[in-house]
Amino acid sequence: HEIKDAIKTLLDKFKKRFPNRETERELFILENYFGLDQKTPLTLEGISGFLNISKERVRQLKEGAFVNLRILANELNITL
């Protein structure tokens, strides 16, 4: 639970740091991929159905979100 809470806090900071439409989708993908907020984790294919985009596009957005999270974590001196 502590790890999920830390991730959720980082995602909240992420949303404030990168406020745009892509960020909303990236957050949706990360929250659902990892099953945050007591959600059951979804596959890329499952997430693609919710967003009505391809599984490959979901993967690309997820990877982009990881890059941005690493940048933010480095700025906050958090090790991922």
Side-chain angles (χ1 to χ4, degrees):
H1 250 263
E2 289 179 29
I3 293 173
K4 281 191 175 183
D5 290 341
I7 292 171
K8 186 64 179 157
T9 299
L10 186 58
L11 289 178
D12 288 340
K13 291 180 186 286
F14 176 81
K15 185 175 183 177
K16 290 175 184 167
R17 174 77 161 74
F18 303 101
N20 60 48
R21 186 171 174 269
E22 283 298 295
T23 300
E24 291 296 322
R25 292 199 311 180
E26 289 173 345
L27 288 172
F28 179 86
I29 290 166
L30 292 176
E31 288 172 350
N32 285 280
Y33 186 78
F34 290 107
L36 303 176
D37 289 336
Q38 301 171 350
K39 297 175 184 171
T40 302
L42 296 177
T43 62
L44 297 179
E45 187 172 354
I47 296 168
S48 72
F50 276 107
L51 296 177
N52 199 28
I53 57 177
S54 71
K55 184 172 84 171
E56 174 60 18
R57 184 65 182 135
V58 172
R59 187 197 64 74
Q60 292 168 354
L61 289 167
K62 179 178 70 78
E63 294 303 315
F66 281 148
V67 169
N68 288 335
L69 278 177
R70 285 186 195 106
I71 291 168
L72 181 58
N74 284 337
E75 289 175 3
L76 300 172
N77 293 318
I78 298 172
T79 303
L80 294 179

